[in-house]
Amino acid sequence: MATTASLLPALAGVAGADPTSTPSSSSAVSTPAESSVAPPAPSSATPPAETSASTPTSSSEAPAPAKAEAVAPEAALKAAAADDPWEQSPVYTKWQQLGGAAFAGDLVGTEVVQANGIRYARFSKNVTITHDAANGAHWFSGAIAGVWNGTTNGPDGAISVATMDQVPVSRGFQGGAASAFSNGVSVYYSDAYGAFPISGAMRQKYWAYGSVNGTFGWPTAVENAWADNNGGPTQITSQNFSEAVALFKGPSGVAYWISGALRDKYLSVDGPVGFNGMLTGDQTASAGSGWYVGTETGTIYWSPSTSAVRLEGPINSKFWSEGGPNGRFGYPLADVGKVGDGQYANFTTQVTVFHSDSRGTHWISGALRAKFEALGGVTGSLGFPTSDQYSTNGRDGLYVLFGPNKVILWGANTGAFLVRDQYLAKLRADGDVADYGLPMTEVGPVGPYQFQQFQAATIFDGNGRSTVTLGWDFREVWWYLGGTSSPLGYASSDYQSWGNAQFYQQFDYGYVLCDYNENVCYYDYNGASAKSSKSAVDGAKPDIEQVRREATKISINGGAPRG
């Protein structure tokens, strides 16, 4: 696990923090004018335990310990000159305006006047007053003064002054105080968490989301630097807040926020120095009161019905190509998993996305997925899918391909079935499901043949013959005569067109001829007409008038042989 180190000196006392966002008003909390507040974090987290720093006991003022410490090191300071008496100091004037000793207590030591134009004094009630020509004189106290005091011990002494008087702030029933300083740092104190500085990109993002009363709540720690997994330095920092929020800033200098279960998921694998890498944007609200956040290697998702889940690589790309959380998949149920020589991820809408290097990334759902799993899934005979799930042409069905010669077809009234090899080739060569309809059975035995039945036709194979289709009105006549026990036997060839809206199909022991001029079909078996019809299969057209005289006629609905 990577470690973090405190950046308190860098935040509260080193040049380079953003000074441009310092509030200019001395009578308002150091927050932006924008009052809009983002939605809450996706899951609540127990706030950290109270800190034991010197903190105020009320929400409006930060009281002091019994006695303040001595002033900063002499090497960095210049004592007040004899010709600059205390009574003429702007710090003294501010002290008097505040009520003197009744408000701040008595002066501790002497006023410090620095060569850089900063002057300050500490008072016995743990109040500090600072001044420079650009910002004037302002006061702060208690734990906020403690944070500022920690920045006065360098070789140059204090390098910032307050740009506003300390003001009370609150979040609900939680009281606190805040002040801002000339080096771009704001310090927020709360009774619950203590005082912490925030600056630069972190402070800009904090203010953009409503400051204390916004999405983040109170700062609960200083900005910390992340070490890599070998303990080496990085350019990554983070800062935590009371509403289960963390801000992360990387080499780009831009800060992004993440919260709740998303944050916990991110941190569970070393956060920005783990395989997720840095955040690439702020946490974003999505469909169904969910959230997601992007990282350098993937995306973490959360919804009320799922835990926090991470997707990566081609599966994450496929998810977004289908609309992401707002699309047909819903939310992922678990991280990307391994199966066979590929990967998969399941989603809330009964969708699974599969990926393999050889077959790409494709999705399958519902009854088709159940059928696929029943056939062994990717480790069975089908392997990984080679297409997404699509709607069929001409029928209200769905299909998914598995290589060039296998497909699972599904219809609401038929169910899901596998069509493969010669049966699929016959289906494709002869009009596909638009003509045959959807499959209603698997391949199975019937008499000396194998067959697969579709809504409008049946494909027979075996017994020394190539595949033969029996369908539409021809199959209706065959079924009328007993089907497999029919005196016609089995179809011995596909139907043929004789022109003039007349179609003919040969059977083992007879024939069926359908005439759509009359909307009737004729059948005959074991007779002269049957022999004539059989000879027609070999090229001789039978005498249609003889067929009409000798064959049995059945009325049909008419329209076309595939009507």
Side-chain angles (χ1 to χ4, degrees):
M1 171 69 77
T3 58
T4 60
S6 171
L7 286 183
L8 177 56
L11 284 176
V14 176
D18 179 8
T20 63
S21 299
T22 305
S24 57
S25 171
S26 63
S27 61
V29 183
S30 55
T31 58
E34 181 177 339
S35 62
S36 61
V37 177
S43 69
S44 60
T46 303
E50 289 189 13
T51 56
S52 57
S54 59
T55 57
T57 57
S58 73
S59 63
S60 62
E61 187 176 52
K67 187 160 179 86
E69 296 295 329
V71 297
E74 292 294 332
L77 309 176
K78 180 177 75 175
D83 59 353
D84 185 18
W86 167 237
E87 289 81 3
Q88 296 179 14
S89 166
V91 172
Y92 175 84
T93 301
K94 180 70 173 179
W95 177 63
Q96 289 286 76
Q97 291 172 347
L98 292 171
F103 176 82
D106 296 322
L107 177 68
V108 175
T110 60
E111 180 188 26
V112 176
V113 182
Q114 299 183 173
N116 60 5
I118 292 175
R119 60 200 304 158
Y120 64 90
R122 296 186 176 96
F123 299 87
S124 59
K125 291 186 178 181
N126 201 13
V127 172
T128 297
I129 299 175
T130 64
H131 175 274
D132 71 3
N135 295 283
H138 299 288
W139 72 273
F140 48 90
S141 69
I144 292 178
V147 172
W148 184 85
N149 289 341
T151 73
T152 64
N153 297 320
D156 298 322
I159 64 168
S160 68
V161 296
T163 60
M164 58 179 286
D165 287 340
Q166 178 177 303
V167 293
V169 294
S170 62
R171 180 182 175 92
F173 295 106
Q174 295 176 334
S179 191
F181 296 85
S182 59
N183 61 340
V185 176
S186 294
V187 179
Y188 290 87
Y189 164 82
S190 72
D191 295 338
Y193 303 106
F196 297 100
I198 183 170
S199 68
M202 299 296 200
R203 186 175 74 168
Q204 290 174 6
K205 183 67 61 144
Y206 183 57
W207 284 354
Y209 278 81
S211 188
V212 168
N213 286 295
T215 300
F216 299 174
W218 303 97
T220 60
V222 298
E223 186 174 350
N224 287 306
W226 283 73
D228 64 26
N229 288 314
N230 296 316
T234 71
Q235 298 181 59
I236 299 170
T237 63
S238 67
Q239 189 163 9
N240 294 329
F241 299 84
S242 63
E243 301 309 297
V245 173
L247 275 170
F248 288 86
K249 182 178 69 177
S252 69
V254 179
Y256 297 117
W257 71 278
I258 185 173
S259 72
L262 292 173
R263 180 199 62 178
D264 297 344
K265 180 74 171 179
Y266 183 58
L267 293 176
S268 70
V269 285
D270 293 342
V273 297
F275 60 75
N276 283 300
M278 263 299 296
L279 302 179
T280 58
D282 290 328
Q283 178 177 311
T284 302
S286 54
S289 301
W291 295 84
Y292 69 89
V293 67
T295 73
E296 291 177 313
T297 60
T299 308
I300 304 173
Y301 305 89
W302 177 90
S303 77
S305 62
T306 64
S307 61
V309 173
R310 179 182 183 273
L311 296 183
E312 62 198 56
I315 289 181
N316 194 41
S317 297
K318 172 63 77 172
F319 179 51
W320 279 104
S321 74
E322 296 290 340
N326 299 307
R328 72 176 86 211
F329 293 177
Y331 283 89
L333 290 168
D335 293 355
V336 172
K338 293 184 177 180
V339 58
D341 61 353
Q343 299 174 312
Y344 76 98
N346 292 321
F347 295 82
T348 53
T349 57
Q350 299 185 53
V351 169
T352 300
V353 177
F354 293 96
H355 169 78
S356 74
D357 291 340
S358 61
R359 290 192 163 187
T361 309
H362 302 290
W363 67 275
I364 184 172
S365 72
L368 289 90
R369 185 181 70 171
K371 182 67 175 179
F372 176 51
E373 292 171 348
L375 294 172
V378 299
T379 59
S381 62
L382 298 181
F384 284 89
T386 57
S387 80
D388 290 338
Q389 184 172 296
Y390 294 116
S391 297
T392 58
N393 290 325
R395 299 280 178 168
D396 187 16
L398 301 170
Y399 73 93
V400 175
L401 297 172
F402 297 87
N405 60 351
K406 302 181 187 72
V407 63
I408 293 177
L409 282 157
W410 171 88
N413 297 320
T414 57
F417 296 97
L418 174 67
V419 182
R420 60 184 302 168
D421 301 327
Q422 66 268 38
Y423 298 92
L424 181 56
K426 184 70 171 177
L427 175 68
R428 286 170 169 167
D430 203 18
D432 217 304
V433 298
D435 285 336
Y436 277 51
L438 297 165
M440 301 180 70
T441 68
E442 301 291 352
V443 174
V446 57
Y449 299 98
Q450 295 287 311
F451 81 102
Q452 186 162 24
Q453 184 166 304
F454 296 77
Q455 288 174 300
T458 303
I459 299 173
F460 293 90
D461 182 72
N463 197 30
R465 293 176 176 169
S466 61
T467 53
V468 173
T469 296
L470 172 61
W472 310 284
D473 291 325
F474 300 99
R475 190 175 68 173
E476 294 297 322
V477 173
W478 184 66
W479 280 347
Y480 172 77
L481 294 174
T484 57
S485 60
S486 165
L488 291 170
Y490 291 90
S492 57
S493 67
D494 291 341
Y495 81 87
Q496 299 178 5
S497 173
W498 280 8
N500 193 30
Q502 295 171 348
F503 299 87
Y504 166 91
Q505 186 159 19
Q506 181 71 45
F507 290 77
D508 290 330
Y509 308 114
Y511 70 89
V512 174
L513 185 146
C514 293
D515 186 343
Y516 290 95
N517 298 297
E518 305 176 32
N519 287 332
V520 297
C521 287
Y522 299 89
Y523 66 88
D524 197 5
Y525 48 89
N526 291 331
S529 297
K531 292 179 182 179
S532 297
S533 299
K534 189 174 188 304
S535 68
V537 176
D538 298 325
K541 185 175 181 179
D543 182 347
I544 188 63
E545 294 303 325
Q546 182 182 8
V547 170
R548 288 172 176 164
R549 289 194 306 269
E550 297 181 1
T552 303
K553 181 169 64 174
I554 299 178
S555 296
I556 57 175
N557 292 328
R562 299 188 178 189

